[in-house]
Amino acid sequence: MTLKVYNTLSGKKEEFETIEPGEVRMYVCGPTVYDSCHIGHARSVVFFDVVYRLLLSMGYRVTYIRNFTDVDDKIIKRANELGVTSEAISEKYIAEFYRDMDALNVKRATLEPRATHHIDDIIGIINVLIDKNMAYPVDGDVYFRVTAFEGYGKLSGRKLEDMEAGARIEVDERKENPFDFALWKSAKPGEPFWESPWGQGRPGWHIECSAMSWQLLGESFDIHGGGKDLIFPHHENEIAQSEAAFGKSFVRYWLHNGFVNINSEKMSKSLGNTTLIKDILDVYHPEAVRLFLMSNHYRSPIDFTEQSMKESSGNLDKLYALLLRVSDTYGNLPIIRLNSNNKARSGPVWKDFFAAMEDDFNTAKGLAVMFDAVRKTNRLLDDVTGETAFETKIQVEVLTTDIVKIANILGILSEIPMEYFERKQKDALESSAVDPEKIQKLIDERTAARKSKDFASADRIRKELEDMRVAIEDRPEGTIWKMMD
RNA sequence: GGCGGCUUGGCCAAGUGGUAAGGCGACGGCCUGCAAAGCCGUUAUUCUCCAGUUCAAAUCUGGAAGCCGCCUCCA
């Protein structure tokens, strides 16, 4: 069993081998904190969260870095518009990022550095690059000399010559080459700045990641990730800076996730269809969002629609309903949860799931394995008889342990099933203005009618409840109800 | 103009040489007073099209069509 990952650098799936045995060093580009996070951020952050969880489950010691870009033109622009400091903007959106991602059950990274806390490291790298003649200062700016770095374009598969042909890039006369990019930008009036050998200014966008990864992970590390859009120019430029500065291979495996479309359309500010995480979480359970994000391969585009979210919500219900059913039947869910953390106790379902995940994080296939197991477990529970009870219990426990273990990797099923359904009901009630006491009264009436075999009345009451969007289920232990979606 | 990707049933989606996972939906059945939930069965002789390689292709090769992304801030 070996993990295989698709490496953007080679364009192939490769066997995953760490630089240091048993240890993974991973850096993922975090957000530029100038606005609220949207579902696209969620995809990237949740995907790498799953990668992180999987690596941990494989027994690796993982150092996971996810940065915040807290100095940038867009932040400055926003701050000026609102008449506040850049810092105020970045603090606000960092806080929002945590609120959104915590809600989505995303684990914190090992370290979550900010660009502004690493200005000295940034200046240090720029100095090295200038000394090596890979960069040049002009009027307080410093540019990277792309033609001096032989491998420029190797990540994105471009050649400088090809790009120049169709380039629509502003010509800056001070640059030696139009593709030279800023390592340091001189401060204009009203902009935040730091002192540097080239005067007051601030770092360019790409250099911070080279500086922080160097400081926190070293000159070479295992995984670098981010959205597909970062391949060029951001990651291409990071490679150029880091490899030029340190003369070593920068990153072994480059992982890039695909985009989220909204109703088959590219999500963009100009189309006005930017879908924010916080707005989605007003309507859908965070774990339903995770389930949705896992429903296709991370490198493919995924389409956010009401239908797909409803499906994911329904699937989440199905999973929690199974857990509830198991604990109602056996009352041993805490034991199962405990076992699910024990590596030695994994069954065949976990092995199938893991095999899918090992193949470049095939979560869609992994989900299929899990839903197969759900069906198997329900089938067993349907067929419980006195004779088979003990044997069934063991089989159910093995299956459920695997399901919970899988859920731990996907970052779902973190709630107590009973509480999940209670909260769901409470939320639905709040948005529907239906009186729960009235519901209970009607259910009691119906139960009485059923007892006296007055099924006409019973059905009439059920219809009445349905009109209130209340669905009922008659169970051996009594009638339960829930709000319809 | 340059680079890259995608096209699998009503919908979503796995599957990279050995005869089409899974989810949603629909239909039939079990269960139920009737339902719901759960379970069982049916739902792609076929994988955009054409040609080729092969004993064998959704999977490899060549070509065509359609869709999309990146090349500018962007997860």
Side-chain angles (χ1 to χ4, degrees):
Chain A
M1 301 244 275
T2 38
L3 177 61
K4 285 193 197 134
V5 302
Y6 180 88
N7 188 352
T8 306
L9 190 57
S10 63
K12 290 188 198 123
K13 266 188 220 173
E14 298 176 10
E15 283 197 12
F16 182 72
E17 273 177 59
T18 58
I19 295 168
E20 298 292 333
E23 189 181 332
V24 175
R25 283 171 284 157
M26 171 161 94
Y27 186 101
V28 176
C29 286
T32 299
V33 280
Y34 75 105
D35 205 348
S36 300
C37 290
H38 51 63
I39 183 69
H41 294 104
R43 187 179 200 192
S44 178
V45 173
V46 168
F47 167 65
F48 286 104
D49 181 56
V50 170
V51 171
Y52 180 44
R53 288 165 184 258
L54 189 76
L55 292 169
L56 289 174
S57 84
M58 292 170 78
Y60 284 112
R61 288 191 309 282
V62 184
T63 308
Y64 174 26
I65 312 291
R66 187 180 53 226
N67 73 291
F68 288 108
T69 298
D70 62 346
V71 54
D72 170 89
D73 290 352
K74 293 190 293 296
I75 297 172
I76 294 167
K77 183 166 171 263
R78 192 76 184 242
N80 288 341
E81 282 165 8
L82 298 173
V84 298
T85 62
S86 290
E87 208 186 351
I89 295 292
S90 56
E91 288 300 333
K92 173 178 151 79
Y93 289 110
I94 285 171
E96 260 201 30
F97 176 88
Y98 280 129
R99 209 180 316 137
D100 289 344
M101 298 310 169
D102 288 350
L104 285 172
N105 201 20
V106 171
K107 281 181 187 287
R108 298 287 175 109
T110 316
L111 293 164
E112 305 185 334
R114 304 177 187 194
T116 55
H117 295 180
H118 288 268
I119 301 293
D120 289 347
D121 300 325
I122 290 168
I123 290 172
I125 290 200
I126 297 174
N127 268 327
V128 171
L129 289 170
I130 293 174
D131 287 349
K132 289 193 170 181
N133 214 24
M134 306 299 288
Y136 54 95
V138 187
D139 305 334
D141 293 340
V142 181
Y143 291 100
F144 185 88
R145 182 176 277 130
V146 289
T147 50
F149 181 66
E150 209 178 319
Y152 195 77
K154 67 181 175 183
L155 182 69
S156 53
R158 302 153 202 267
K159 298 188 185 85
L160 278 171
E161 312 89 77
D162 292 341
M163 292 196 294
E164 285 174 52
R168 269 199 279 158
I169 189 163
E170 260 182 67
V171 181
D172 184 337
E173 293 298 330
R174 303 172 312 155
K175 287 191 199 174
E176 293 177 3
N177 181 297
F179 291 94
D180 287 353
F181 55 90
L183 301 172
W184 190 261
K185 295 177 170 185
S186 59
K188 292 185 207 105
E191 290 183 348
F193 63 82
W194 288 264
E195 298 294 339
S196 82
W198 318 285
Q200 296 177 337
R202 61 192 149 90
W205 174 33
H206 317 292
I207 194 68
E208 60 177 78
C209 289
S210 286
M212 290 187 279
S213 61
W214 165 53
Q215 271 305 300
L216 303 172
L217 296 175
E219 295 173 359
S220 294
F221 54 97
D222 301 293
I223 295 175
H224 193 132
K228 261 194 162 81
D229 52 325
L230 296 181
I231 295 170
F232 190 90
H234 185 53
H235 289 160
E236 192 70 65
N237 290 354
E238 276 187 52
I239 293 176
Q241 292 159 350
S242 293
E243 298 196 349
F246 307 122
K248 282 192 183 171
S249 173
F250 179 42
V251 168
R252 282 211 170 174
Y253 306 99
W254 287 90
L255 271 48
H256 294 98
N257 63 276
F259 291 109
V260 179
N261 291 136
I262 306 295
N263 296 316
S264 311
E265 243 179 2
K266 178 188 157 89
M267 180 170 61
S268 75
K269 299 217 165 175
S270 56
L271 284 167
N273 62 351
T274 308
T275 305
L276 302 182
I277 294 171
K278 57 186 176 187
D279 294 336
I280 293 169
L281 294 181
D282 280 344
V283 183
Y284 302 105
H285 188 102
E287 293 181 352
V289 176
R290 289 186 75 114
L291 217 43
F292 160 71
L293 292 170
M294 294 302 120
S295 68
N296 80 349
H297 191 93
Y298 76 95
R299 283 189 280 116
S300 307
I302 188 169
D303 198 19
F304 182 90
T305 63
E306 191 179 333
Q307 193 198 333
S308 57
M309 280 313 301
K310 282 198 166 151
E311 264 181 38
S312 294
S313 297
N315 281 336
L316 187 64
D317 280 354
K318 194 178 179 134
L319 292 168
Y320 272 111
L322 177 78
L323 293 191
L324 189 61
R325 194 177 178 195
V326 170
S327 72
D328 282 352
T329 309
Y330 297 115
N332 62 352
L333 208 57
I335 296 166
I336 286 168
R337 282 188 181 273
L338 216 62
N339 286 343
S340 68
N341 291 323
N342 180 347
K343 218 168 180 262
R345 302 246 342 188
S346 52
V349 172
W350 165 262
K351 285 188 179 71
D352 287 348
F353 172 80
F354 191 76
M357 292 298 284
E358 265 193 331
D359 185 11
D360 196 31
F361 313 103
N362 194 334
T363 51
K365 194 173 178 183
L367 246 31
V369 171
M370 183 166 65
F371 282 107
D372 253 346
V374 169
R375 186 152 33 80
K376 270 188 194 129
T377 311
N378 271 315
R379 187 161 52 210
L380 285 166
L381 291 167
D382 277 354
D383 294 341
V384 177
T385 64
E387 266 172 53
T388 59
F390 183 70
E391 202 175 309
T392 302
K393 181 176 175 175
I394 291 172
Q395 288 177 302
V396 167
E397 185 165 330
V398 169
L399 284 164
T400 313
T401 300
D402 278 357
I403 289 167
V404 174
K405 207 172 155 170
I406 289 167
N408 287 159
I409 300 298
L410 300 177
I412 59 171
L413 304 187
S414 60
E415 288 189 65
I416 309 291
M418 184 84 87
E419 290 171 6
Y420 168 84
F421 287 111
E422 279 171 3
R423 201 181 70 169
K424 193 167 165 136
Q425 187 163 84
K426 192 166 149 278
D427 290 349
L429 274 176
E430 274 170 15
S431 61
S432 70
V434 174
D435 178 10
E437 280 179 28
K438 187 178 176 199
I439 292 170
Q440 196 51 55
K441 191 167 156 277
L442 285 167
I443 287 176
D444 291 344
E445 277 174 34
R446 178 169 168 276
T447 304
R450 288 179 69 217
K451 266 200 183 127
S452 57
K453 308 271 184 207
D454 179 5
F455 295 122
S457 299
D459 289 349
R460 184 173 36 75
I461 294 167
R462 181 169 57 204
K463 180 74 176 51
E464 196 177 329
L465 285 162
E466 276 169 8
D467 290 343
M468 294 159 69
R469 302 180 47 71
V470 174
I472 55 171
E473 272 181 50
D474 296 327
R475 298 204 183 171
E477 64 276 13
T479 298
I480 63 145
W481 61 274
K482 60 183 182 185
M483 299 302 296
M484 294 182 214
D485 289 325

